[in-house]
Amino acid sequence: MAFLDNIKISVKIISTVILLALVSAGLIAFSGVTLNHLDREYGHLLENDAQTRVELARVTRRVAELCNYALAVITYAPDSAEAKKSATEIEDAYKAGIRNLESAKKYSPRRTSQFAKVEHSLTELRTVAAAVANVYMQSEQTSAEDVKQLNEMLPVVEAELLAINQELSKEMTSRMSSLSASADRSLMLVYVLSAVGILFCLALALWLSMTKIARPLNQLAQRMGALAGGDVAVEIDGQNRRDEVG
């Protein structure tokens, strides 16, 4: 690399410092991009899959409320305010459950068909719960068949919701493990690249300082010493160089 002999020492030093700065900036940029990607992936889990599970938990609560309100009706007098209120709350719980399902569809559109099945089951459950309440309030009699059907439908709908929730849980666990492994690999890559980049810059700086700065200056000092001592035949190296030594 003879061309380096024609570059000023100050330029060599500054160039090495700039190279080290560029390597550091590149590593920082790479780390930022990697962290941003991981942040988006974790954000997707929290904003979509996790929120879907929250909405499904709310639907499960609405399912239980439907049955509880229907059974609450038959514990009061048919014309009592409590019975009427419980009958009204059956419809309120159903509508709230439908809203929760719509939110779940928004957060996890790929499961629309599963949510549609749950919506159908929820509608059937609402129909039976309303039938239990209406029959009692109109005839002051409890339909044993409707109550039995209500009790049989409840665990079925809850099982459907549980199955979807467990499937989501497994997917989230798998994706979390994948993201964790990706984060570990990215972190290791940053460490390796940082070590290689810093060592390269240090090696380059050491080589420049020893072979292109210190050695020529030492040789020049020796030649000047010999010349000052009266040895006029001494050969002065580097006269063709364009840096401070030449």
Side-chain angles (χ1 to χ4, degrees):
M1 296 185 179
F3 74 93
L4 292 175
D5 296 337
N6 300 322
I7 300 176
K8 298 292 184 180
I9 292 176
S10 59
V11 175
K12 295 173 185 175
I13 296 174
I14 293 173
S15 298
T16 304
V17 173
I18 291 175
L19 178 60
L20 180 59
L22 289 174
V23 170
S24 300
L27 291 171
I28 292 172
F30 175 76
S31 301
V33 171
T34 301
L35 290 175
N36 187 48
H37 170 71
L38 292 173
D39 182 66
R40 287 198 306 270
E41 291 297 321
Y42 278 114
H44 177 77
L45 284 176
L46 294 176
E47 294 176 9
N48 294 300
D49 292 354
Q51 192 60 41
T52 299
R53 296 188 65 190
V54 171
E55 295 299 334
L56 290 178
R58 290 170 177 167
V59 174
T60 302
R61 178 183 174 184
R62 305 309 179 194
V63 168
E65 287 176 349
L66 274 172
C67 295
N68 290 336
Y69 290 140
L71 296 176
V73 170
I74 62 179
T75 62
Y76 299 108
D79 57 350
S80 66
E82 291 85 355
K84 293 177 181 178
K85 180 182 178 182
S86 296
T88 301
E89 288 175 334
I90 292 175
E91 188 65 21
D92 293 340
Y94 169 73
K95 291 179 179 179
I98 294 299
R99 288 195 297 270
N100 295 141
L101 280 174
E102 290 300 322
S103 295
K105 290 178 185 178
K106 181 182 67 175
Y107 292 120
S108 187
R110 68 185 186 279
R111 299 183 181 278
T112 299
S113 59
Q114 291 176 293
F115 297 148
K117 182 180 178 182
V118 173
E119 182 176 344
H120 177 72
S121 298
L122 182 62
T123 301
E124 288 186 339
L125 186 66
R126 184 276 307 265
T127 301
V128 176
V132 170
N134 292 335
V135 168
Y136 176 75
M137 294 179 70
Q138 293 173 6
S139 64
E140 298 187 19
Q141 294 181 353
T142 302
S143 173
E145 186 64 29
D146 287 341
V147 173
K148 178 182 177 182
Q149 186 178 3
L150 184 66
N151 289 329
E152 291 174 348
M153 291 180 66
L154 175 61
V156 173
V157 180
E158 289 179 337
E160 290 178 0
L161 290 165
L162 179 62
I164 299 175
N165 237 326
Q166 288 178 337
E167 188 176 333
L168 274 169
S169 178
K170 290 180 181 178
E171 287 185 4
M172 288 184 66
T173 300
S174 176
R175 291 183 63 189
M176 288 288 285
S177 298
S178 177
L179 284 174
S180 179
S182 178
D184 291 340
R185 289 193 299 270
S186 298
L187 188 60
M188 183 58 65
L189 183 59
V190 169
Y191 287 154
V192 171
L193 290 177
S194 299
V196 171
I198 292 174
L199 288 176
F200 171 77
C201 290
L202 289 176
L204 179 61
L206 184 62
W207 178 77
L208 280 174
S209 64
M210 292 181 64
T211 63
K212 298 300 180 180
I213 299 175
R215 184 182 299 171
L217 289 175
N218 289 333
Q219 291 176 347
L220 181 61
Q222 292 174 1
R223 299 296 190 277
M224 291 298 102
L227 186 62
D231 186 2
V232 295
V234 66
E235 183 178 350
I236 307 299
D237 297 328
Q239 296 184 48
N240 295 326
R241 296 169 64 109
R242 296 182 181 177
D243 59 1
E244 290 81 351
V245 176

